[in-house]
Amino acid sequence: MKVNGTPMRTIWLARDGWSVEIIDQTRLPHRLETVSLLSAADTAHAIRDMLVRGAPLIGATAAYGMALAARVDASDAGLARAHDLLLATRPTAVNLRWALDGMMACLRPLAAADRPARAYARAAEIAEEDVAINAAIGRHGLAVLEEIRARKPAGEPLNVLTHCNAGWLATVDWGTATAPLYMAHDKGLPVHVWVDETRPRNQGASLTAWELGNHGVPHTVIVDNAGGHLMQHGLVDVVIVGSDRTTATGDVCNKIGTYLKALAAHDTGVPFYVALPSPTIDFTLSDGVADIPIEQRSADEVAKISGLTDAGTVETVSLLPDGSPAANYAFDVTPARLVTGLITERGVAPASRAGIACLFPDRAA
Ligand code: MRU
């Protein structure tokens, strides 16, 4: 998508042909800085400390991490070490395991000498596939938005609420939840996006608002607790969020607070869609609440906040009284019964085992 009018992706191979460039998302929205990844250890740090984040981008970055590892040590033991190092970075988004296991399956049968080149090629394929998948999600999601918009009086914008950042910054390009929004906007459909700030790390306020603004999509940032009120007053036509892991039965795990939005949407009759690429579906799981591992991050992310001062410096301040403990659950699970539909690269499915299996019979089996 565009930054200052110029198309940009979130990850790319550097001019040297082997190191990997990423946008350091911890510096946004106030600074646009890139970072070079030179090793699997750099890659693990970038994922763990959230320089890159978002399920699809975590997967693509990990794939490049395997390529960086293979460049140095392409033995079975070397690849296994890199796989385990990268897999331990974050527990919830299943795209990480999907990408790492896929890299291992692709490299293991090869002679060690052939592995580095194949690893780079496969990582590039994963990145390109992600772009194509998200573009397809965008097309299917656009049809959903157009149908909802057609039920509104002419001239009124379509009000969409989204949570966290399931935008192009969470993927290689387009985003999942945002792909239909970008396509609608580019097509001239009047869209306005309510952007949940998404405490504690503010992915909505810092990232979604930044990318929508750069692409010229009208939006308003709201506090996380505002969504229910807006829905009660008819100010939200549809909710679209992303997913970090979706069970074979359609339960959806996404950024903490998503479940509360789904409850409010259910109570007020607002359609609640989840946009997700198929690598986010964990076909081994049936019960999201019981089975999906929920990441718990540092309490500091709740206890402190960073922002731009009037003097132009970025500073971090404390929010809590001395001694107050904080808990930081990073994700929650929205049961399938609260989800109106899953928007995937193969079309829109009911959030159910049958709905998912109908679109992905090859993988569900
Ligand atoms: O902790 P994060 O920022 O990695 O969480 C990201 C999300 O929850 C996104 O909504 C999800 O990965 C879907 S992204 C297309």
Side-chain angles (χ1 to χ4, degrees):
M1 304 308 294
K2 289 184 200 146
V3 178
N4 299 325
T6 307
M8 193 170 188
R9 285 188 176 181
T10 54
I11 188 165
W12 62 96
L13 209 56
R15 284 223 185 95
D16 59 20
W18 68 270
S19 63
V20 178
E21 302 273 314
I22 56 165
I23 297 174
D24 179 352
Q25 299 191 22
T26 64
R27 311 287 283 169
L28 290 172
H30 306 301
R31 313 262 186 269
L32 175 60
E33 292 178 6
T34 59
V35 167
S36 296
L37 306 179
L38 308 181
S39 64
D42 284 356
T43 311
H45 157 72
I47 296 172
R48 191 182 304 107
D49 290 355
M50 293 178 65
L51 282 70
V52 291
R53 25 69 49 204
L57 181 57
I58 289 171
T61 308
Y64 273 114
M66 289 297 292
L68 289 167
R71 202 174 157 262
V72 179
D73 179 359
S75 67
D76 285 356
L79 292 183
R81 262 196 308 277
H83 174 279
D84 293 352
L85 172 75
L86 291 161
L87 188 61
T89 50
R90 296 194 70 190
T92 301
V94 77
N95 307 56
L96 178 63
R97 177 179 283 282
W98 170 85
L100 291 171
D101 288 356
M103 291 296 284
M104 289 300 269
C106 158
L107 300 180
R108 229 187 260 110
L110 305 180
D114 298 329
R115 287 173 174 175
R118 183 69 191 108
Y120 275 100
R122 181 64 199 133
E125 281 166 18
I126 286 176
E128 287 306 325
E129 280 165 19
D130 182 61
V131 179
I133 283 173
N134 298 329
I137 287 173
R139 289 189 292 274
H140 294 301
L142 174 60
V144 171
L145 295 186
E146 286 179 321
E147 200 186 309
I148 296 170
R149 173 67 174 64
R151 296 200 288 264
K152 290 197 76 173
E156 279 189 21
L158 186 75
N159 286 304
V160 184
L161 185 142
T162 192
H163 189 68
C164 192
N165 173 262
W168 72 265
L169 288 166
T171 65
V172 179
D173 206 349
W174 281 112
T176 56
T178 57
L181 304 177
Y182 287 125
M183 287 189 187
H185 174 77
D186 290 351
K187 202 177 168 185
L189 201 78
V191 180
H192 165 262
V193 187
W194 296 110
V195 178
D196 279 353
E197 61 175 348
T198 319
R199 280 283 289 150
R201 290 186 66 102
N202 290 317
Q203 287 95 329
S206 299
L207 305 178
T208 306
W210 181 81
E211 60 170 84
L212 291 175
N214 268 293
H215 203 79
V217 181
H219 62 280
T220 307
V221 179
I222 50 175
V223 296
D224 289 327
N225 300 325
H229 169 78
L230 296 176
M231 290 182 217
Q232 284 176 327
H233 288 268
L235 295 170
V236 180
D237 298 307
V238 56
V239 179
I240 308 184
V241 298
S243 172
D244 290 84
R245 196 185 294 225
T246 298
T247 63
T249 52
D251 293 344
V252 172
C253 182
N254 191 51
K255 180 54 54 192
I256 193 80
T258 301
Y259 171 48
L260 292 178
K261 295 296 130 55
L263 285 172
H266 190 255
D267 189 50
T268 53
V270 172
F272 183 95
Y273 283 92
V274 181
L276 70 149
S278 59
T280 300
I281 304 171
D282 186 341
F283 286 94
T284 68
L285 300 186
S286 300
D287 181 342
V289 174
D291 298 337
I292 297 179
I294 300 295
E295 178 177 20
Q296 290 188 54
R297 296 185 61 85
S298 163
D300 269 1
E301 293 181 353
V302 176
K304 297 179 179 174
I305 199 160
S306 298
L308 191 68
T309 66
D310 288 346
T313 55
V314 174
E315 286 183 15
T316 302
V317 296
S318 293
L319 294 170
L320 307 188
D322 274 353
S324 284
N328 187 4
Y329 294 89
F331 298 95
D332 61 25
V333 173
T334 298
R337 67 187 158 78
L338 298 177
V339 178
T340 309
L342 303 173
I343 306 172
T344 77
E345 71 268 28
R346 291 197 190 164
V348 182
S352 65
R353 190 183 288 281
I356 292 174
C358 187
L359 283 186
F360 299 97
D362 42 329
R363 299 201 35 213

